[in-house]
Amino acid sequence: MKLTYRRFHHAFLTPLNGIALLAVIVFAGLVIFVPQVFAASAKTLTVQRLVTIHDGSKEITVFTKGETVGDALAQADVATSQKDIVEPAITEKLEAKTYQVNIFRARPVVIVDGATRFKVVTAEQSPRLIMKAAGLPYYDEDVTALERVDSVLSEGGAGLRLVVRRATVFNLTLYGKQFEARTQATTIEQLLKEKGVTLGVADGVSPALSAPISPGMNVRIWRNGKQTVTQEEVMTRPTEEIKDAEKTLGLREVKEVGADGKRNATYEIETKDGAEVSRKEIASVVTLAPVKQVVVVGTKVVMPAGSHTDWMAAAGISTSDYGYVEFIVSHESGWGATKSNYSGSGAYGLCQALPGSKMASAGSDWATNPITQLRWCNGYAVGRYGSWAGAYSFWIKNHWW
């Protein structure tokens, strides 16, 4: 049978095209699918983290996709109580590839503090923090010993016992500085060695070096002749004022709260017949630096409405005196209600009252209100010169009033 070109084309080429088309579709699908698989795998690998959990004698390792340490503990089926300590904290976000998580379990601890016993359930490890958990004071001079309790029946089932040997509390005057001190020493000589105090040739100590230490006793160390005194002093916080033209004059707002500091100042004091005759500072150590306080100070002055004439009328000044007032005020302040004398004399306001606070007798707003100031100026002119005309004559002659 003879095939025409058209039939040959449909009989042979069309199936081939179909196969080719199918291959293209499959290949394209692979091209799209494979990168997605790799991308998903890469993403999965980047979010998985290796977390090793140390829980007493147990060690558990997990791969986790969790976001926090708490998620990793939950995946490892490790439960904790509020009194347990987890480091890093349960809320810590997992960002690194590997983590070591330590769990310190809360357990009962009996604290033996002299004749008193306290029982506390805590996960803290150091004596200082165990004492803090029990709400007990702890001082550097105190001596502690943490012991394991093997007997279940002793100490009410507690597995640990913390024994505290308190230091002896006494009063020490060290070269003039008095304070409460603590020591484990039993004699004055041991005390000086413990505190690192070396007596000089001119130094004295009371009681004697061989005297025993007892609670509440007074121990004095001094220098004969010129006495050296160390005392704690307050360092006043510095204040910086920032002027703000948008805020009303007189307004003060604390922008940054400051704080006073402290320093230990050492003075050499010379005494004669038991009285101090001279004092010289020989050393100073800042123990707490002062913090600067920043205050925003308003400088905006809101003047009352109206002209100078309106202000004079409101102040009760006679119209016949307006000319005198205009002349004096113009020359004294240029009608500046908040003007201060440039020489620093303290003169202030329209009439340059000295000091400016004198004008408070005319009103509490004397520092900013020109009408209040004019009311005071009127009383001043009449009271001192008999009239504004008299004040004007005096000003022309002396250039002040």
Side-chain angles (χ1 to χ4, degrees):
M1 181 174 105
K2 186 178 180 181
L3 296 174
T4 65
Y5 173 77
R6 179 179 296 276
R7 290 181 63 191
F8 174 82
H9 175 77
H10 284 289
F12 294 98
L13 295 183
T14 301
L16 289 174
N17 287 344
I19 292 171
L21 179 61
L22 178 61
V24 170
I25 293 172
V26 171
F27 178 74
L30 287 173
V31 170
I32 294 171
F33 175 72
V34 172
Q36 287 179 338
V37 171
F38 280 126
S41 299
K43 185 177 180 182
T44 303
L45 289 174
T46 55
V47 296
Q48 280 193 337
R49 294 175 173 85
L50 179 66
V51 179
T52 302
I53 303 164
H54 303 277
D55 186 5
S57 59
K58 294 188 296 182
E59 184 177 295
I60 306 169
T61 301
V62 293
F63 281 97
T64 181
K65 297 178 183 179
E67 295 183 355
T68 64
V69 170
D71 294 338
L73 294 180
Q75 183 177 327
D77 200 22
V78 175
T80 59
S81 71
Q82 286 186 345
K83 290 189 176 182
D84 294 337
I85 296 177
V86 180
E87 296 177 350
I90 288 180
T91 55
E92 180 87 11
K93 286 190 175 295
L94 297 177
E95 295 176 345
K97 292 181 180 179
T98 61
Y99 280 86
Q100 300 288 328
V101 177
N102 294 300
I103 300 176
F104 300 97
R105 296 291 181 179
R107 76 288 194 212
V109 180
V110 168
I111 301 173
V112 182
D113 188 2
T116 312
R117 289 176 180 266
F118 301 87
K119 188 174 183 180
V120 61
V121 178
T122 178
E124 299 294 356
Q125 304 297 302
S126 71
R128 180 185 293 273
L129 293 178
I130 292 173
M131 297 277 285
K132 183 179 179 181
L136 297 174
Y138 180 91
Y139 302 95
D140 292 334
E141 295 85 357
D142 294 334
V143 175
T144 58
L146 197 56
E147 308 169 346
R148 191 178 70 181
V149 180
D150 295 324
S151 172
V152 180
L153 298 178
S154 64
E155 305 296 3
L160 285 175
R161 177 170 52 230
L162 178 62
V163 181
V164 185
R165 182 159 57 91
R166 295 290 186 182
T168 304
V169 183
F170 66 101
N171 300 309
L172 177 62
T173 303
L174 182 63
Y175 299 117
K177 181 176 175 61
Q178 300 178 4
F179 53 92
E180 186 181 77
R182 290 172 167 76
T183 183
Q184 291 286 342
T186 56
T187 66
I188 298 295
E189 187 174 15
Q190 292 176 0
L191 165 66
L192 298 184
K193 188 175 181 181
E194 179 192 83
K195 301 298 182 185
V197 177
T198 304
L199 296 177
V201 222
D203 291 346
V205 60
S206 175
L209 294 177
S210 58
I213 300 289
S214 60
M217 74 182 300
N218 295 310
V219 178
R220 293 190 305 116
I221 300 171
W222 68 89
R223 180 157 294 163
N224 295 308
K226 290 183 178 180
Q227 304 292 315
T228 303
V229 175
T230 302
Q231 59 191 45
E232 186 177 73
E233 298 178 349
V234 174
M235 300 177 68
T236 307
R237 63 188 175 194
T239 301
E240 178 186 357
E241 292 188 352
I242 300 176
K243 295 182 179 180
D244 190 338
E246 296 301 317
K247 297 186 183 297
T248 307
L249 182 70
L251 177 70
R252 296 176 65 87
E253 293 178 347
V254 177
K255 184 180 180 182
E256 295 177 17
V257 179
D260 292 339
K262 293 180 181 178
R263 72 168 190 155
N264 283 334
T266 302
Y267 297 92
E268 186 179 73
I269 299 175
E270 187 175 358
T271 59
K272 186 177 181 180
D273 298 329
E276 181 180 322
V277 293
S278 69
R279 174 179 290 241
K280 176 184 176 184
E281 183 175 325
I282 58 175
S284 174
V285 177
V286 176
T287 57
L288 180 64
V291 179
K292 179 174 67 177
Q293 180 153 301
V294 180
V295 180
V296 176
V297 179
T299 60
K300 182 179 181 180
V301 178
V302 181
M303 292 296 175
S307 62
H308 297 169
T309 302
D310 296 326
W311 295 353
M312 288 186 280
I317 296 174
S318 171
T319 53
S320 59
D321 292 327
Y322 285 0
Y324 302 127
V325 178
E326 182 71 42
F327 179 87
I328 292 177
V329 173
S330 295
H331 284 76
E332 287 291 324
S333 66
W335 287 91
T338 59
K339 182 179 178 180
S340 297
N341 184 277
Y342 293 126
S343 65
S345 66
Y348 180 86
L350 296 181
C351 302
Q352 291 292 282
L354 180 62
S357 56
K358 282 182 178 180
M359 296 185 288
S361 59
S364 58
D365 57 351
W366 64 269
T368 57
N369 193 332
I371 296 175
T372 302
Q373 293 184 8
L374 286 172
R375 191 178 299 120
W376 179 87
C377 294
N378 189 47
Y380 174 77
V382 175
R384 178 161 183 170
Y385 301 104
S387 66
W388 276 101
Y392 170 77
S393 297
F394 184 89
W395 200 101
I396 291 296
K397 183 178 180 181
N398 301 281
H399 299 288
W400 60 274
W401 74 314

